[in-house]
């Protein structure tokens, strides 16, 4: 017991110190990157790309499963994106509702004969539709058998003709210049090839929309979405910004990201065996480049470009976090060969270990710590003054980090301009460790348990459809 | 020994100090946040107010007709007083820049005159001489948009600046002020032009006459692959078929991007010679992606004499190539049918 | 004639407004696409002048909306994008005229006069 106590104390301390130094390091990098980005952005006229005949060609892939309620509106919103070399591919993943009928009626669709060579194996394609109305000339609708999100995206990749792929959730609302900003990095690289660019996802709850356009940004009024708004700011503005400075970005949100089509295909497309297909693909594409010793980059655009509804109940949030944890573990397991593998440079020596220790292990450590604490407390072995001081410090450091993230938001994009919104965000940051974070940890633990249990009972995990909440996984959430 | 050290760190007192420091930091950050919010809001309000105050005055100046050379625009006293402040001058400069990009003719000339009359070039020049890259780039941009050709000698050396944003703005400025003439920095260009940058330059040059054969040929032989690429884009966009032979020569360029550009360029200036060259390249090209590009261009521009070549490819071992050949043949057939209809 | 102008740069907008008023037209203004669409639902202008790149809704959406109405009124598209493909797209969607920025307000006024003559 005595030994356990010591282990508890010093182990926790070492872990906490490592984590804190990582966060401080990331914070500093994030500031540097944000300043550079904003200065550059100010000089840039993004509209240039919208009309140039030399702009890269883009296929937007938006998979849909049982989205009948809003599908027509969602597609209209996506069709309104102004970009010259564009095709919009909607993939109906065997919806059981009337999505397909609604699309056919609304956009005057007609089956067409497109011959293509399926480079990635997928479930059967029933038909490919195009509109008879030239106003919707950019629209392609694929009707296929249900196979899950990864399979739907792969079908889209097979049929897409353009140079770059932009994968989004069909219910996302994009800013007017979202595509232009997301594609610019691909055109700026000279010696290093840009293989993927990630965009920021923001929380749309309580925001005002008209005709599929965001017209007014509001801080979510409910606590859960508000806590997630804070979490996303922290993850995207601090975490990804910093990783992108290091070129160590492992995750591009499935809700909004752009890829080089050729490399995505050569790397094998999305893997339908994992629920974390968005992270897994980026890791695999990076490996593909690293294995061939090709210089490459994964970039990130910090502007708020894509808005999505966040889960507003504990139940749905729990399911989402459970799935994220499973996705993280599956990806880490599939690519375990990267772990401290110097052959992969930063990817193997820093990005992968960081994800392993802080994204996967953090909930485990926190949970074990809590259990140990209860055991020690029951055995009367807790050194209360020390324990309270340590806990207090950890809490306060968490707050510091959140406040720092809010400060960055205010200094850069300052989306929450209304009176009192920043104050509310600070209050949320203070409450979050009590009302939000423990639940996230608990859901992650349940994800681990589910994974272990299902693995034993029926081997590979498969998933049907993806009516679950939007996939927009932030990292460094603690 | 190690244990002792850990003991020192695990004493509560250590954490009390840490908590104190961290709390202090939090307070400082919150303070910064508040200050920043106030500053930002104030600046924004001030900017809006200034824009409002400038509005009627500027509209009046913009619509002034045929101003003689020596004429100075009327600056009312309240505006003159506002313009004593640096902030107001920067807001006005920003406004003039954005107006200059949307209005031409007399209003455009009036804008340039006003810019000079108020001594704003000084502001731009100060930025140009700044050591910070983003200010430098902004200064260059001002000078280009507001059309101050006499500062070109200052900008020219910056076309080879080591910061990508600065050299890009400088290069854009040269083309802005002198069109094709401005591109003589190509001769000494030490860095590659990014795709983005090429698009920008092409946009600026879109409505201009293509320069002399001699100049383009020199670019096509440049040791800087991105300059060759740029020249090929230009030829393609302007459908300048007189460069056919030079473009065909680029098909054997060692740089893959140049070869790719040459292929699509030939698609824009089709001819029997071009298609023969493309077919020849197809057989020797190792990069499958480039082979596919060749097939795409052939299907766009193809003529009946390409049929045997494509039919042979239908037996190719690669499924993608078979498919592309199929598509090209089908395209040729529909085209032929359309012609028959016409005849 | 009543004219609706949609343009996000406020002084450019004011300049156009002022210039066209001088010719005796009545001018409604919108500073973004959303506002223009809202105005179109209430008012019935006889001519629409719209920029393409505006916040919230592009000028092409405004154009599409106008052309979907019964008895569509003429639309002049105004844009910094002068490339062939954009111009072609605008005309395909039903634009009646296309002016590339930077433009001269006097030239705009002359083109508007042509539409006014046709309308009367």
């Amino acid at each position: 017991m005595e030994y356990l106590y010591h282990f508890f104390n010093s182990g926790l301390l070492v872990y906490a110190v490592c984590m804190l130094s990582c966060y401080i390091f990331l914070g500093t990098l994030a500031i540097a990157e944000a300043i550079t980005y904003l200065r550059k952005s100010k000089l840039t006229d993004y509209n240039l790309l919208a009309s140039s005949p030399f702009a890269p060609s883009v296929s937007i892939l938006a998979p849909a499963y049982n989205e009948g309620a809003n599908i027509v509106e969602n597609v209209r919103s996506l069709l309104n994106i102004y970009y010259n070399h564009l095709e919009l591919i909607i993939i109906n993943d065997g919806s059981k509702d009337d999505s397909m009928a609604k699309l056919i009626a609304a956009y005057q669709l007609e089956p067409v004969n497109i011959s293509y060579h399926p480079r990635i194996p997928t479930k059967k394609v029933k038909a490919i539709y195009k509109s008879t109305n030239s106003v919707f000339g950019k629209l392609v609708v694929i009707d296929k058998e249900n196979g899950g999100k990864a399979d739907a995206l792969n079908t889209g990749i097979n049929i897409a003709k353009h140079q770059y792929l932009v994968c989004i959730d069909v219910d996302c609302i994009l800013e007017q210049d979202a595509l232009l900003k997301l594609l610019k990095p691909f055109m700026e690289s000279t010696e290093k090839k840009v293989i993927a660019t990630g965009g920021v996802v923001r929380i749309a709850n309580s925001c005002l929309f008209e005709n599929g356009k965001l017209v007014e940004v509001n801080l979510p009024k409910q606590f859960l979405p508000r806590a997630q708004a804070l979490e996303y700011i922290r993850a995207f503005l601090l975490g990804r910004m910093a990783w992108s400075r290091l070129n160590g970005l492992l995750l591009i949100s499935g809700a909004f990201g752009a890829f080089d089509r050729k490399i995505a295909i050569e790397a094998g497309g999305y893997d339908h065996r994992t629920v974390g297909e968005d992270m897994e693909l980026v890791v695999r594409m990076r490996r593909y480049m690293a294995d061939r010793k090709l210089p490459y980059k994964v970039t990130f655009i910090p502007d708020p470009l894509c808005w999505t509804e966040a889960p507003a109940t504990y139940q749905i949030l729990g399911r989402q976090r459970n799935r994220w944890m499973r996705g993280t573990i599956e990806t880490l397991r599939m690519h375990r060969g990267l772990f401290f593998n110097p052959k992969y440079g930063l990817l193997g020596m820093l990005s992968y270990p960081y994800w392993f220790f802080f994204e996967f292990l953090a909930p485990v450590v926190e949970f074990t710590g809590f259990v140990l604490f209860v055991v020690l407390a029951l055995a009367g072995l807790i050194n209360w003054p020390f324990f309270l001081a340590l806990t207090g410090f950890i809490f306060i450091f968490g707050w510091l980090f959140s406040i720092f993230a809010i400060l960055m938001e205010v200094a850069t994009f300052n989306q929450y301009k209304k009176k009192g919104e920043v104050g509310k965000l600070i209050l949320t940051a203070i409450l979050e460790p009590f009302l939000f974070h423990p639940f996230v940890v608990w859901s992650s633990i349940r994800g681990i348990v589910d994974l272990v249990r299902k693995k034993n009972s029926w081997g590979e995990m498969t998933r049907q459809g993806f009516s679950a909440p939007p996939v927009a996984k932030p990292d460094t959430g603690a | 020994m190690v244990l002792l050290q850990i003991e020192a760190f695990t004493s509560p007192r250590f954490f009390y100090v840490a908590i104190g420091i961290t709390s202090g930091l939090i307070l400082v950050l919150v303070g910064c946040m508040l200050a920043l919010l106030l500053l930002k809001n104030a600046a924004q309000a001030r900017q809006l107010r200034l824009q409002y105050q400038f509005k009627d005055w500027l509209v009046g100046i913009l619509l002034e007709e045929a101003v003689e050379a020596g004429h100075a625009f009327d600056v009312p006293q309240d505006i003159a007083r506002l313009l004593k402040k640096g902030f107001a001058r920067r807001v006005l400069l920003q406004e003039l820049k954005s107006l200059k990009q949307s209005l031409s003719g007399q209003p455009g000339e009036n804008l340039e005159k006003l810019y000079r009359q108020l001594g704003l070039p000084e502001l731009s020049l100060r930025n140009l001489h700044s050591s910070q890259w983003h200010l430098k780039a902004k200064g260059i941009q001002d000078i280009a948009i507001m059309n101050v050709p006499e500062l070109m000698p200052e900008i020219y050396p910056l076309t080879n600046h080591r910061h990508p944003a600065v050299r890009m703005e400088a290069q854009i400025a040269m083309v802005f002020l002198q069109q094709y003439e401005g591109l003589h920095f190509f001769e000494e260009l030490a860095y590659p032009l990014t795709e983005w940058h090429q698009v920008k330059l092409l946009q600026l040059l879109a409505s201009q006459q293509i320069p002399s054969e001699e100049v383009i040929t020199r670019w096509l032989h440049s040791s800087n692959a991105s300059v060759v690429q740029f020249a090929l884009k230009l030829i393609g966009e302007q459908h300048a078929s007189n460069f056919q032979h030079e473009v065909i020569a680029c098909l054997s360029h060692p740089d893959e991007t140049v070869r790719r550009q040459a292929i699509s360029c030939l698609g824009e200036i089709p001819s029997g010679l071009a298609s023969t060259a493309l077919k020849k390249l197809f057989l020797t090209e190792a990069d499958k992606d480039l082979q596919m590009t060749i097939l795409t261009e052939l299907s766009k521009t193809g003529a009946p004499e390409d049929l045997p070549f494509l039919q042979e490819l239908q037996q190719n071992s690669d499924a993608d190539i078979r498919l592309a050949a199929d598509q090209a043949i089908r395209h040729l057939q529909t085209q032929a049918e359309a012609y028959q209809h016409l005849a | 004639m009543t004219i609706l102008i949609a343009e996000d740069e406020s002084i450019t907008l004011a300049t156009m407004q002022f210039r066209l008023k001088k010719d005796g037209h009545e001018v409604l203004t919108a500073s973004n696409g959303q506002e223009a669409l809202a105005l179109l639902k209430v008012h019935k202008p006889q001519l629409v002048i719209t920029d393409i790149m505006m916040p919230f809704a592009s000028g092409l959406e405004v154009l599409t909306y106008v052309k979907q109405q019964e008895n569509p009124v003429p639309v002049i598209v105004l844009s910094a994008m002068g490339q062939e493909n954009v111009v072609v797209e605008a005309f395909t969607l039903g634009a009646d005229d296309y002016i590339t920025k930077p433009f001269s307000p006097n030239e705009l006024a002359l083109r508007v006069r042509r539409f006014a003559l046709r309308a009367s």
Side-chain angles (χ1 to χ4, degrees):
Chain A
M1 251 347 192
E2 193 71 20
Y3 172 74
L4 199 64
Y5 168 73
H6 258 287
F7 176 76
F8 177 58
N9 268 358
S10 32
L12 218 55
L13 190 70
V14 170
Y15 184 80
V17 167
C18 285
M19 196 146 152
L20 301 189
S21 4
C22 265
Y23 281 178
I24 292 170
F25 178 58
L26 288 179
T28 324
L29 285 177
I31 298 177
E33 183 72 5
I35 291 176
T36 316
Y37 177 80
L38 284 175
R39 284 179 172 169
K40 225 163 141 188
S41 193
K42 242 186 161 163
L43 291 163
T44 308
D45 173 20
Y46 288 97
N47 290 345
L48 170 66
L49 265 199
S51 58
S52 171
F54 297 102
S57 57
V58 184
S59 301
I60 297 185
L61 306 182
Y65 178 71
N66 289 347
E67 304 264 2
N70 298 313
I71 188 99
V72 172
E73 270 315 299
N74 290 340
V75 170
R76 176 149 308 149
S77 161
L78 291 174
L79 276 171
N80 277 334
I81 296 172
Y82 189 67
Y83 192 85
N84 189 29
H85 284 288
L86 182 70
E87 69 177 345
L88 171 62
I89 303 181
I90 308 290
I91 307 122
N92 175 38
D93 190 35
S95 296
K96 293 186 182 66
D97 65 358
D98 55 351
S99 303
M100 208 53 230
K102 277 185 166 165
L103 282 175
I104 290 175
Y107 297 105
Q108 299 128 55
L109 299 180
E110 214 172 53
V112 287
N113 216 339
I114 294 182
S115 42
Y116 65 98
H117 171 216
R119 302 275 302 270
I120 310 168
T122 62
K123 286 269 164 66
K124 208 177 143 231
V125 173
K126 289 191 241 170
I128 302 173
Y129 295 86
K130 288 201 81 166
S131 177
T132 49
N133 186 340
S134 64
V135 173
F136 308 125
K138 288 173 178 165
L139 182 64
V140 178
V141 178
I142 303 172
D143 191 19
K144 67 179 278 288
E145 282 170 11
N146 180 276
K149 187 171 184 175
D151 192 67
L153 284 167
N154 283 339
T155 314
I157 294 179
N158 280 337
I159 290 168
K161 286 196 294 286
H162 291 174
Q163 214 176 341
Y164 295 103
L165 304 168
V166 172
C167 300
I168 65 168
D169 285 348
V170 76
D171 56 353
C172 277
I173 301 288
L174 295 187
E175 297 267 345
Q176 191 89 335
D177 49 2
L179 267 195
L180 310 177
K181 287 190 171 159
L182 198 64
L183 288 167
K184 186 167 177 252
F186 288 108
M187 305 184 63
E188 281 183 315
S189 60
T190 43
E191 68 273 30
K192 280 183 181 173
K193 187 172 178 64
V194 174
I195 57 170
T197 305
V200 167
V201 175
R202 289 285 187 123
I203 305 290
N205 303 48
S206 303
C207 291
L208 211 65
F209 294 92
E210 257 174 55
N211 298 340
K213 299 259 162 57
L214 174 72
V215 287
E216 193 185 310
V217 177
N218 287 312
L219 188 66
K221 301 213 162 35
Q222 289 165 288
F223 175 75
L224 270 189
R226 198 161 62 232
Q228 290 169 80
L230 173 68
E231 192 189 20
Y232 280 40
I233 290 175
R234 216 168 35 201
F236 283 110
L237 228 46
L238 280 180
R240 296 216 188 148
M241 201 81 228
W243 282 113
S244 122
R245 178 105 182 167
L246 290 171
N247 189 18
L249 210 60
L250 271 199
L251 175 61
I252 278 180
S253 158
F256 190 49
F259 301 90
D260 185 302
R261 182 173 127 257
K262 208 178 125 205
I263 292 171
I265 289 180
E266 271 162 27
Y270 284 98
D271 191 327
H272 59 85
R273 289 167 306 175
T274 166
V275 292
E277 72 282 329
D278 42 2
M279 176 178 180
E280 204 278 331
L281 178 64
V282 177
V283 178
R284 197 143 32 81
M285 283 172 73
R286 296 192 78 124
R287 271 186 92 160
Y288 174 88
M289 296 302 278
D291 283 340
R292 281 157 190 76
K293 302 215 163 42
L294 302 166
Y296 73 96
K297 227 163 46 174
V298 173
T299 58
F300 169 75
I301 297 298
D303 290 276
L305 295 180
C306 171
W307 296 77
T308 189
E309 204 76 17
T313 64
Y314 277 106
Q315 197 197 1
I316 304 178
L317 178 71
R319 272 212 301 264
Q320 184 194 43
R321 296 312 157 103
N322 177 313
R323 194 156 45 84
W324 286 1
M325 186 36 115
R326 282 184 279 135
T328 302
I329 299 175
E330 283 167 342
T331 306
L332 289 175
R333 198 177 50 209
M334 284 178 191
H335 298 282
R336 55 184 171 267
L338 295 175
F339 194 62
F340 284 120
N341 187 341
K343 203 182 113 196
Y344 291 100
L346 195 89
L347 176 63
M349 299 307 281
L350 201 64
S351 295
Y352 187 96
Y354 176 88
W355 271 83
F356 183 82
F357 285 115
F358 300 132
E359 292 296 327
F360 158 58
L361 230 45
V364 179
V365 168
E366 284 177 53
F367 186 72
T368 334
F370 182 72
V371 171
L372 264 177
F373 159 72
V374 173
V375 171
L376 288 171
L378 287 179
L381 273 169
I382 293 278
N383 171 356
W384 287 101
F386 166 74
F387 171 76
L388 287 177
L390 176 68
T391 319
F393 176 69
I394 290 175
F395 269 75
I396 234 164
F397 189 85
W399 285 328
L400 175 70
F401 199 65
S402 290
I403 301 287
F404 182 69
I406 302 173
L407 176 64
M408 277 210 42
E409 160 74 9
V410 168
T412 53
F413 303 106
N414 200 18
Q415 290 290 308
Y416 301 114
K417 290 195 191 82
K418 297 221 175 88
K419 224 179 172 154
E421 283 189 330
V422 170
K424 263 193 201 150
L425 213 50
I426 295 179
L427 194 70
T428 312
I430 294 172
L431 291 177
E432 190 222 348
F434 305 104
L435 298 175
F436 182 75
H437 188 65
F439 181 73
V440 170
V441 170
W442 173 237
S443 304
S444 304
I445 295 295
R446 282 184 39 184
I448 298 175
V449 173
D450 281 0
L451 192 66
V452 171
R453 208 186 278 158
K454 281 190 184 154
K455 189 94 196 133
N456 290 343
S457 54
W458 67 87
E460 277 316 330
M461 292 264 318
T462 48
R463 192 164 59 101
Q464 292 291 306
F466 46 95
S467 50
V471 214
K473 187 177 189 313
D475 38 54
T476 62
Chain B
M1 190 59 197
V2 174
L3 214 74
L4 253 178
Q5 271 175 348
I6 287 180
E7 280 305 314
F9 279 110
T10 51
S11 90
R13 200 171 313 138
F14 167 75
F15 285 106
Y16 295 148
V17 176
I19 289 177
I21 295 172
T22 321
S23 318
L25 263 177
I26 290 184
L27 288 180
V28 170
L29 289 186
V30 172
C32 286
M33 207 184 305
L34 277 178
L36 201 62
L37 267 177
L38 287 176
L39 276 176
K40 268 195 157 181
N41 286 341
Q44 208 188 358
R46 239 172 108 196
Q47 188 177 349
L48 281 176
R49 207 170 46 238
L50 282 167
Q51 276 169 345
Y52 182 78
Q53 284 164 318
F54 290 148
K55 192 168 166 181
D56 289 340
W57 170 60
L58 279 178
V59 172
I61 288 180
L62 286 171
L63 292 175
E64 258 183 58
E65 296 288 340
V67 192
E68 317 111 54
H71 172 85
F73 295 111
D74 185 33
V75 184
Q77 240 170 17
D78 50 334
I79 303 265
R81 210 179 46 242
L82 283 176
L83 287 178
K84 289 211 176 85
K85 294 258 168 52
F87 183 79
R89 290 169 78 81
R90 283 197 296 275
V91 170
L92 181 67
L93 177 54
Q94 201 54 44
E95 195 59 61
L96 295 185
K97 260 169 78 181
S98 94
L99 280 169
K100 187 80 202 322
Q101 283 167 295
S102 57
L103 296 172
S104 64
Q106 190 64 48
E109 281 170 37
N110 292 358
L111 281 167
E112 281 172 32
K113 252 183 211 149
L114 184 66
Y115 172 72
R116 286 163 193 261
Q117 183 187 328
L118 295 174
L120 293 173
E122 253 171 75
L123 201 65
S124 308
L125 208 56
R126 205 170 332 132
N127 279 337
L128 180 70
H129 293 149
S130 159
S131 58
Q132 284 186 287
W133 65 266
H134 66 283
L135 292 178
K136 224 179 181 58
K138 192 173 172 313
I140 299 171
Q141 207 176 51
D142 289 358
I143 289 165
I145 293 175
M146 296 316 294
N147 192 16
V148 195
E150 61 267 30
L151 288 176
M152 239 165 0
E154 292 229 31
I155 292 179
Y156 184 75
L158 298 177
T159 53
N160 260 330
H161 195 273
R162 67 196 141 73
H163 197 289
V166 173
R167 65 171 180 265
M168 174 160 155
E169 285 306 332
Q171 295 167 2
I172 291 170
M174 292 306 291
V175 174
F176 214 103
L177 295 169
Q178 282 194 307
Q179 290 78 44
Y180 279 112
E181 192 92 341
L183 285 177
H184 58 256
F185 65 80
F186 272 2
E187 325 276 328
E188 297 164 55
L189 194 59
Y191 301 88
L193 301 163
T194 65
E195 288 277 337
W196 173 270
H197 192 178
Q198 294 182 32
V199 167
K200 179 81 196 177
L201 293 177
L202 284 164
Q203 185 211 29
L204 291 176
L205 294 168
S207 54
Q208 305 292 322
Q209 267 299 319
I210 195 160
S212 72
E213 234 164 277
E214 186 210 330
V215 175
I216 297 260
T217 314
R218 204 160 56 229
W219 293 344
L220 285 175
H221 292 110
S222 168
S223 57
N224 188 330
S226 65
V227 169
V228 185
Q229 201 191 355
F230 178 85
L232 287 168
K233 281 183 185 168
L234 202 64
I235 294 169
E237 194 186 29
Q238 313 252 359
H239 306 284
S241 43
N242 46 328
F243 295 104
Q244 194 186 173
H245 294 282
E246 279 90 347
V247 177
I248 289 174
C250 285
L251 288 177
S252 46
H253 199 278
D255 194 300
E256 188 236 288
T257 51
V258 170
R259 290 205 301 276
R260 181 185 305 273
Q261 201 63 55
I263 295 170
S264 13
C265 180
L266 285 177
E268 300 294 326
I269 48 169
S271 69
L273 216 59
S275 99
T276 314
L278 284 178
K279 282 183 280 191
K280 210 175 107 208
L281 177 66
F282 185 94
L283 300 174
T284 52
E285 179 61 61
D287 186 323
K288 182 180 146 193
D289 208 52
L290 279 189
Q291 289 187 315
M292 297 292 289
T293 317
I294 294 175
L295 289 182
T296 318
E297 294 304 328
L298 276 183
S299 89
K300 257 201 293 195
T301 65
E305 52 270 27
D306 297 329
L307 263 176
F309 171 76
L310 291 170
Q311 274 157 350
E312 200 172 310
L313 285 183
Q314 283 181 305
Q315 320 299 326
N316 196 287
S317 58
D318 188 293
D320 289 313
I321 288 180
R322 284 201 304 270
L323 197 71
D326 268 347
Q327 272 163 353
I329 289 173
R330 214 168 320 136
H331 189 83
L332 279 182
Q333 279 162 348
T334 35
Q335 248 183 354
E337 277 163 30
Y339 274 124
Q340 267 168 4
H341 259 288
L342 280 178
Chain C
M1 176 156 79
T2 313
I3 304 171
L4 170 71
I5 312 180
E7 156 72 56
D8 58 340
E9 213 287 322
S10 83
I11 297 182
T12 309
L13 178 62
T15 310
M16 284 192 264
Q17 183 186 17
F18 202 86
R19 180 67 189 80
L20 293 175
K21 268 189 173 164
K22 215 170 84 182
D23 286 1
H25 300 295
E26 204 165 309
V27 181
L28 299 166
T29 59
S31 58
N32 61 55
Q34 201 75 27
E35 243 180 80
L37 289 172
L39 278 172
L40 279 169
K41 277 169 193 151
V42 190
H43 300 276
K44 294 273 166 279
Q46 288 143 294
L47 174 70
V48 177
I49 301 174
T50 178
D51 186 15
I52 292 188
M53 283 299 185
M54 288 184 295
F56 305 132
S58 83
L60 295 183
E61 282 170 63
V62 176
L63 169 64
T64 317
Y65 176 83
V66 172
K67 293 299 172 187
Q68 273 167 1
Q69 307 304 304
E70 266 176 69
N71 307 323
V73 295
V75 177
I76 301 180
V77 176
L78 199 60
S79 172
M81 301 179 290
Q83 288 91 343
E84 183 188 335
N85 47 33
V86 192
V87 183
V88 168
E89 181 171 3
F91 280 114
T92 318
L93 291 173
D96 298 85
D97 205 346
Y98 194 101
I99 300 179
T100 312
K101 277 184 181 177
F103 70 98
S104 136
N106 283 336
E107 185 192 329
L108 174 73
L110 284 174
R111 294 190 192 224
V112 167
R113 186 178 299 165
R114 225 178 44 200
F115 286 105
L117 285 175
R118 215 180 294 168
S120 57

